[in-house]
Amino acid sequence: MLQARTVPRSNSNRASTNVVGQFSDELPEDTKHLECNMNAKGALTHSTTLGGGQGVNSISIKWTPEKANADTQFWLTIVQIKSRYWVRQKSQVIKSSSKPGSGGLVG
């Protein structure tokens, strides 16, 4: 599963539950949208075993932010096999930009 969440502005270690942005309708094979926090395109999951059971090293997905003033972080869960998986894996924080016309987020 993959989703984007806002990053709390404070120094707390609390996780944000604010899912932001939307994933494109053009999804890789064997993936589908997953509704999260009333956002119909707020998360992605697989619809079958990716790669037909042969495994997948990477996929490309288009995501569009909805808030340009919020720092964002992608959260994901990775399953290798039923007994081997990783939860709450996080990307680097994508910082928001306050400059007009800058596109909002900078990586």
Side-chain angles (χ1 to χ4, degrees), residues 48-65:
T48 61
T49 302
L50 292 176
Q54 300 300 312
V56 173
N57 289 327
S58 67
I59 59 174
S60 295
I61 301 164
K62 184 177 179 182
W63 172 80
T64 303

Side-chain angles (χ1 to χ4, degrees), residues 11-102:
N11 290 332
S12 73
N13 287 329
R14 288 187 34 220
S16 170
T17 58
N18 297 326
V19 175
V20 294
Q22 293 189 353
F23 291 97
S24 168
D25 285 328
E26 299 172 20
L27 298 176
E29 186 177 345
D30 299 327
T31 61
K32 64 182 180 180
H33 292 108
L34 183 65
E35 184 175 331
C36 195
N37 288 5
M38 297 176 50
N39 180 341
K41 297 178 184 176
L44 289 180
T45 189
H46 59 87
S47 54
T48 61
T49 302
L50 292 176
Q54 300 300 312
V56 173
N57 289 327
S58 67
I59 59 174
S60 295
I61 301 164
K62 184 177 179 182
W63 172 80
T64 303
E66 63 189 38
K67 292 182 178 181
N69 62 347
D71 292 348
T72 304
Q73 190 171 44
F74 287 92
W75 287 51
L76 62 145
T77 295
I78 303 165
V79 178
Q80 185 176 31
I81 57 176
K82 286 183 181 182
S83 62
R84 185 177 211 157
Y85 54 91
W86 298 265
V87 297
R88 297 176 61 121
Q89 301 299 300
K90 301 175 194 175
S91 72
Q92 292 181 341
V93 173
I94 301 169
K95 297 284 188 183
S96 66
S97 172
S98 59
K99 296 178 184 176
S102 66

